[in-house]
Amino acid sequence: MESAARELLARIALVKPVVGANAFMRMEVAIEYRGEQCDFLNWLRCAPSGERRYFRDRSAKFEIAGIGKCLASKFGEHEKFDQHVGDAEIASQSVWFVALPFDSNCALDSAWSPYRNNGCVLPEIELRRDGQTHTLAVNLSVDTSFDALKQRLQTIAEPVKKCAIEPALVRETDDFGEAQWTDVVQSGLQRIRSGSLRKIVLARARTYAASGPLDPVAVFARLCAFESSGFRFLIEAGQGKAFLGVTPERLLSRNKRSVRSEAIAGTRPRGVDDVADRLLGESLLASEKDRREHEFVVERLREVLSSLSVSLRVDAEPRILRQAYVQHLATRMQAEIRADFSDADLVALLHPTPAVAGAPVPCAIKALRDLETIGRGLYSGPVGIVSRDKAEIAVAIRSARIDGATLKAYAGAGIVEGSIAADEWRETVHKLLAFERLAT
């Protein structure tokens, strides 16, 4: 790693400045690892803080970490930027980090305002692993400060390991208690019984306080240790400000024109042993209420994908998708998308799904603006990475926002006819367990 950073420093000293406002230059160096893979989170923790980013897919075959900001763009407009190769004939495709709000038509409140310019970001320095192939790269634009970039690379070339003791987290408060949750659930059920909705997904938040400022990467590393499966993501938006999580939910995965998506809805806790776990999974598969809630998501995704694809395959029956503390119903879909649809088009059409909003989606979003008070911000919004030929976009649930010495974790539950408020409250408790572990 250190030698790769020094090689990039030497090459940058010889590079010609990038010409053109809609272009950037990419330079990369291959890194050889024998035996153990690179520890990306340790690399990020040693890097300058404030603009660090990370994403790993659910298969753990691809992960990427970024430092700094070469370019920032509205999602979709990033495609207008041309990638130039530096002093080599071949370079990998650039990867942009994506983090979008749940409700794009609702202004972000003050707590989320630092994230306004993080919708689509090309990092200045990038560490990537694709299978067993590792690369370190820099992206250079007309606005790149070469002195600042060299200083950052020098920091990577001569890393200083941090051994600070992390401050303890203590649960401080829920945004509202179970009694108020029951009232909100009943309001949602009234709208369902009136016929205006079939489903609504209600969310709540829980705040934890620390004895000192939190290092977002250190918190994220601990969270990943508790929740090993899922899409991992971290977005820093200034010193001590970050949004992070480990989510089970894929919005879309694109490889050229082949697109995969998933309906994930219906939840049970994990069992205390293998037998209990299997029985809980079987009860989920047999639950009429959960299957109905799940089918709302399947219907919506099937409708959207069939309208923009030349072929579509959908699992005949849902399967069980397990995380550390909960298990879900999951139905997989794969489509061959027509060439006239971009990643931004796909996200706009697919998000939000009934898994995080409700059904019908437009009516559910309108109802959530009336019923919810937490200000979702990026929670349950699209998060991931995009490049010319590939994209991996997850849904940012099982997530939290860090602000200095405070961590606010979010969880939601789908409400349909037959839902019981106390059961839905317990479901959100199980979904918050990974963050509860951080506080013990």
Side-chain angles (χ1 to χ4, degrees):
M1 177 68 69
E2 290 82 359
S3 62
R6 292 190 185 96
E7 183 177 340
L8 281 175
L9 275 167
R11 289 165 61 179
I12 288 171
L14 302 174
V15 76
K16 295 180 180 179
V18 177
V19 178
N22 291 336
F24 65 93
M25 183 180 292
R26 177 181 176 85
M27 302 173 67
E28 68 179 39
V29 176
I31 307 172
E32 286 192 17
Y33 275 95
R34 293 181 177 88
E36 293 185 2
Q37 294 177 344
C38 173
D39 187 337
F40 277 55
L41 297 186
N42 185 61
W43 181 79
L44 271 185
R45 198 173 182 189
C46 296
S49 61
E51 288 186 322
R52 297 175 292 185
R53 293 172 177 81
Y54 176 87
F55 183 82
R56 195 191 81 172
D57 69 9
R58 197 169 60 198
S59 70
K61 294 179 180 178
F62 181 93
E63 67 181 321
I64 184 170
I67 305 169
K69 188 183 293 184
C70 173
L71 292 168
S73 170
K74 183 178 179 182
F75 184 43
E77 293 181 2
H78 69 286
E79 295 179 352
K80 71 182 181 182
F81 291 96
D82 294 324
Q83 175 181 325
H84 295 174
V85 177
D87 56 351
E89 294 182 359
I90 299 174
S92 304
Q93 292 177 23
S94 59
V95 170
W96 296 70
F97 286 82
V98 176
L100 305 174
F102 165 74
D103 187 349
S104 60
N105 294 317
C106 186
L108 294 175
D109 62 28
S110 58
W112 289 100
S113 60
Y115 299 86
R116 285 192 178 118
N117 296 321
N118 285 272
C120 195
V121 171
L122 180 70
E124 195 170 54
I125 303 173
E126 173 209 287
L127 178 63
R128 185 190 304 188
R129 177 179 63 83
D130 193 347
Q132 298 300 315
T133 302
H134 293 72
T135 54
L136 181 67
V138 293
N139 296 303
L140 313 171
S141 74
V142 292
D143 297 322
T144 296
S145 168
F146 280 74
D147 289 339
L149 175 59
K150 289 175 183 177
Q151 186 175 2
R152 290 190 181 194
L153 280 173
Q154 193 67 45
T155 302
I156 295 170
E158 300 173 357
V160 177
K161 293 185 179 181
K162 299 180 180 179
C163 300
I165 297 174
E166 289 301 313
L169 270 177
V170 177
R171 188 203 298 183
E172 192 173 59
T173 182
D174 288 321
D175 59 327
F176 50 75
E178 188 172 358
Q180 188 176 350
W181 168 263
T182 299
D183 291 341
V184 176
V185 170
Q186 291 303 322
S187 296
L189 286 170
Q190 288 175 7
R191 296 183 184 227
I192 291 170
R193 289 162 185 160
S194 72
S196 62
L197 292 174
R198 294 190 293 166
K199 174 183 177 179
I200 186 166
V201 181
L202 298 171
R204 67 184 187 94
R206 174 173 288 171
T207 301
Y208 301 84
S211 55
L214 295 164
D215 178 353
V217 176
V219 173
F220 182 57
R222 290 179 60 205
L223 177 66
C224 292
F226 298 142
E227 183 60 85
S228 59
S229 62
F231 299 92
R232 300 177 176 183
F233 62 89
L234 177 142
I235 305 104
E236 267 190 330
Q239 293 293 332
K241 298 182 183 297
F243 180 58
L244 53 88
V246 182
T247 173
E249 190 167 345
R250 167 183 284 136
L251 183 65
L252 70 93
S253 177
R254 179 182 62 82
N255 186 347
K256 295 184 178 177
R257 305 317 301 171
S258 178
V259 170
R260 290 178 293 157
S261 187
E262 292 172 340
I264 295 180
T267 306
R268 287 290 186 279
R270 295 298 303 271
V272 295
D273 55 31
D274 290 344
V275 174
D277 200 47
R278 177 176 56 79
L279 291 174
L280 285 165
E282 290 174 355
S283 75
L284 179 58
L285 286 167
S287 167
E288 186 274 334
K289 178 254 183 188
D290 287 285
R291 292 291 287 262
R292 179 160 36 91
E293 177 187 345
H294 182 79
E295 189 59 29
F296 292 146
V297 188
V298 175
E299 287 177 2
R300 168 73 175 182
L301 291 177
R302 182 189 287 117
E303 176 186 357
V304 171
L305 289 173
S306 63
S307 69
L308 48 85
S309 63
V310 295
S311 65
L312 174 64
R313 296 197 305 272
V314 181
D315 285 349
E317 291 290 331
R319 62 191 180 97
I320 296 293
L321 178 65
R322 291 184 168 91
Q323 281 198 295
Y325 301 102
V326 291
Q327 49 191 318
H328 303 286
L329 292 176
T331 296
R332 298 168 298 183
M333 306 182 185
Q334 184 163 349
E336 192 70 21
I337 303 299
R338 300 201 308 268
D340 51 334
F341 287 97
S342 67
D343 291 327
D345 293 331
L346 292 173
V347 170
L349 290 167
L350 290 169
H351 175 78
T353 74
V356 292
V361 170
C363 299
I365 293 174
K366 184 178 179 180
L368 288 172
R369 291 171 186 159
D370 296 335
L371 296 176
E372 282 189 348
T373 59
I374 63 169
R376 288 198 188 191
L378 301 189
Y379 167 67
S380 66
V383 62
I385 49 101
V386 294
S387 66
R388 185 186 65 198
D389 287 342
K390 295 183 179 181
E392 190 72 72
I393 306 291
V395 182
I397 57 175
R398 310 298 139 75
S399 53
R401 190 185 74 235
I402 289 177
D403 190 355
T406 300
L407 181 147
K408 179 170 282 192
Y410 300 86
I415 310 302
V416 296
E417 183 60 48
S419 292
I420 299 171
D423 293 342
E424 305 300 338
W425 175 269
R426 283 192 292 272
E427 179 177 315
T428 62
V429 168
H430 283 104
K431 290 175 178 177
L432 289 167
L433 281 177
F435 296 102
E436 285 289 294
R437 286 285 304 276
L438 293 177
T440 57

